Amino acid sequence: MTQHTQDDLWRDFPKTATEFEARFATEADCRAYWIEARWGGKPACARCHSTRVWTIREGTTFECADCGHQTSLTSGTLLEKTRKPFKVWFRAVFEISTRRTGISAKDLQRIMGFGSYKTAWSWLHKLRAAMVRSDSEPLGPFVEMDEALVGGQGGPHKELVLVAAEAGGRVRLAHADTNDEATLERFADGQVAADAHVVTDGLASYNEESLGERPHEAIVQSKAQRREKDALQTCHWAISLLKRWLLGTHAGAVSPKHLQAYLDEFAFRHNRRKTKGVGRIAARVIEQLVVRAPLTIRTLIDDTRPCRRFASGQRAVA
Ligand SMILES: [Zn+2]
């Protein structure tokens, strides 16, 4: 049996709208791709893992020949309980992946023709959740660390964002309460390789306490020196793109409660800016829709759910 690897699925993914329309013309086309991404083409029972299964409910579910358990194509994934066909989801994935700057819920509502803003909003949050990977390699070997204040449109309040960036490479962002040593330590431990060489602007809380054994270079620069050769160029560049993106695509309307999800989306796109073709991004998003556990609209909007702000040891990943 030849099994497709994730790389095959990536390489295979349509790169233009025309290719996309042809490849995913029917619900069956999308389902076949989903089955390939989820089970390597051979669906298995969620209870006993038997692959002796047959299709029921118009192809949306498998029934196990051995134990009788029914496994929906979407159960246990981010698309669990969706009432919309894969074709519509794939379309949304393609739209969000092909636009370099991403889209707002309003854009998605218009493009997909959704009746309600709420639907578009919850779709976008699921897609955004699919843009976070949990197995990311820590940054290294040369890493810049900095902080930024974002938001505060129409008010004085700004939100603190911790930034770590490989010189000329990937970036990680975390919404934080403070930039004290303990918080910076958690951020560095989660994102920055233990032997990475770290450059900062000399803020006092970057020290042995927060950075541990990592070699640390604190470079205090004047504005003129920064114009000449910015020691934190990658961080500063990412921060200015981030601010522009929050103000542009999202019209500055990101609430603090959801800021981390937006930061994750930004980092996902930013870190794939050199990836050839949007196909790879779209394929990656679908792969993550498959492997990530369900989010319900209730968990998305529940106000009692703690804010994802970086303060209690969670890892921000992208
Ligand atoms: Zn079974």
Side-chain angles (χ1 to χ4, degrees):
M1 187 184 75
T2 49
Q3 254 210 0
H4 276 89
T5 66
Q6 290 300 346
D7 272 358
D8 290 333
L9 285 176
W10 281 21
R11 223 164 290 143
D12 218 25
F13 205 90
K15 287 161 191 68
T16 65
T18 317
E19 279 174 36
F20 179 85
E21 301 289 351
R23 172 73 198 275
F24 298 113
T26 67
E27 181 66 3
D29 295 334
C30 300
R31 250 181 230 155
Y33 185 92
W34 181 265
I35 289 168
E36 198 66 53
R38 184 163 183 194
W39 289 285
K42 213 147 173 52
C45 170
R47 189 200 276 157
C48 76
H49 308 294
S50 166
T51 51
R52 300 198 322 129
V53 295
W54 57 72
T55 310
I56 56 169
R57 297 205 192 106
E58 292 161 350
T60 60
T61 303
F62 293 105
E63 188 169 285
C64 178
D66 291 320
C67 77
H69 184 74
Q70 297 182 349
T71 308
S72 141
L73 289 183
T74 56
S75 65
T77 75
L78 272 177
L79 296 194
E80 184 170 283
K81 295 205 166 76
T82 182
R83 283 188 297 258
K84 286 274 201 292
F86 281 116
K87 203 163 174 275
V88 182
W89 277 103
F90 276 42
R91 174 92 233 169
V93 167
F94 194 71
E95 294 293 342
I96 199 173
S97 308
T98 46
R99 282 151 214 259
R100 276 197 98 80
T101 53
I103 50 183
S104 66
K106 255 205 162 73
D107 293 334
L108 189 67
Q109 184 186 4
R110 183 178 46 77
I111 294 163
M112 302 300 294
F114 289 151
S116 89
Y117 175 82
K118 207 174 120 189
T119 304
W121 188 89
S122 82
W123 276 50
L124 204 54
H125 273 72
K126 286 182 185 178
L127 293 171
R128 207 164 272 137
M131 289 188 162
V132 188
R133 296 181 62 198
S134 51
D135 57 347
S136 299
E137 286 291 302
L139 304 180
F142 298 99
V143 176
E144 302 168 10
M145 292 183 75
D146 200 8
E147 314 83 48
L149 291 169
V150 305
Q153 285 305 106
H157 190 67
K158 297 224 176 225
E159 298 296 324
L160 177 66
V161 174
L162 307 181
V163 186
E166 289 170 341
R170 297 174 299 161
V171 62
R172 299 278 165 76
L173 304 164
H175 183 196
D177 279 325
T178 114
N179 55 1
D180 62 12
E181 286 164 355
T183 305
L184 291 176
E185 182 187 8
R186 273 199 304 274
F187 182 55
D189 286 351
Q191 311 300 331
V192 181
D195 58 354
H197 180 112
V198 176
V199 178
T200 69
D201 61 6
L203 180 81
S205 43
Y206 291 108
N207 52 33
E208 280 173 17
E209 197 79 21
S210 55
L211 297 176
E213 305 273 290
R214 299 173 186 88
H216 173 213
E217 204 178 340
I219 305 180
V220 184
Q221 289 186 306
S222 68
K223 267 203 171 127
Q225 285 170 321
R226 220 179 299 145
R227 264 196 302 275
E228 188 75 17
K229 191 189 181 307
D230 188 347
L232 300 178
Q233 195 176 25
T234 315
C235 277
H236 291 156
W237 184 53
I239 291 166
S240 84
L241 290 176
L242 170 69
K243 287 182 175 173
R244 214 182 306 162
W245 180 69
L246 289 172
L247 282 175
T249 303
H250 302 293
V254 174
S255 74
K257 192 167 145 237
H258 296 297
L259 180 58
Q260 186 62 53
Y262 287 84
L263 297 179
D264 292 342
E265 180 186 349
F266 176 85
F268 179 91
R269 286 180 194 286
H270 189 78
N271 294 346
R272 282 159 189 77
R273 65 194 180 278
K274 291 174 192 157
T275 302
K276 287 210 177 65
V278 294
R280 289 202 160 210
I281 297 180
R284 171 65 77 194
V285 173
I286 293 177
E287 180 199 315
Q288 292 298 306
L289 286 175
V290 166
V291 301
R292 288 180 59 90
L295 281 176
T296 63
I297 182 78
R298 193 166 307 144
T299 61
L300 287 174
I301 59 175
D302 187 356
D303 281 333
T304 60
R305 188 164 164 259
C307 172
R308 287 180 63 207
R309 195 182 296 235
F310 190 78
S312 45
Q314 334 78 315
R315 288 189 59 198
V317 290

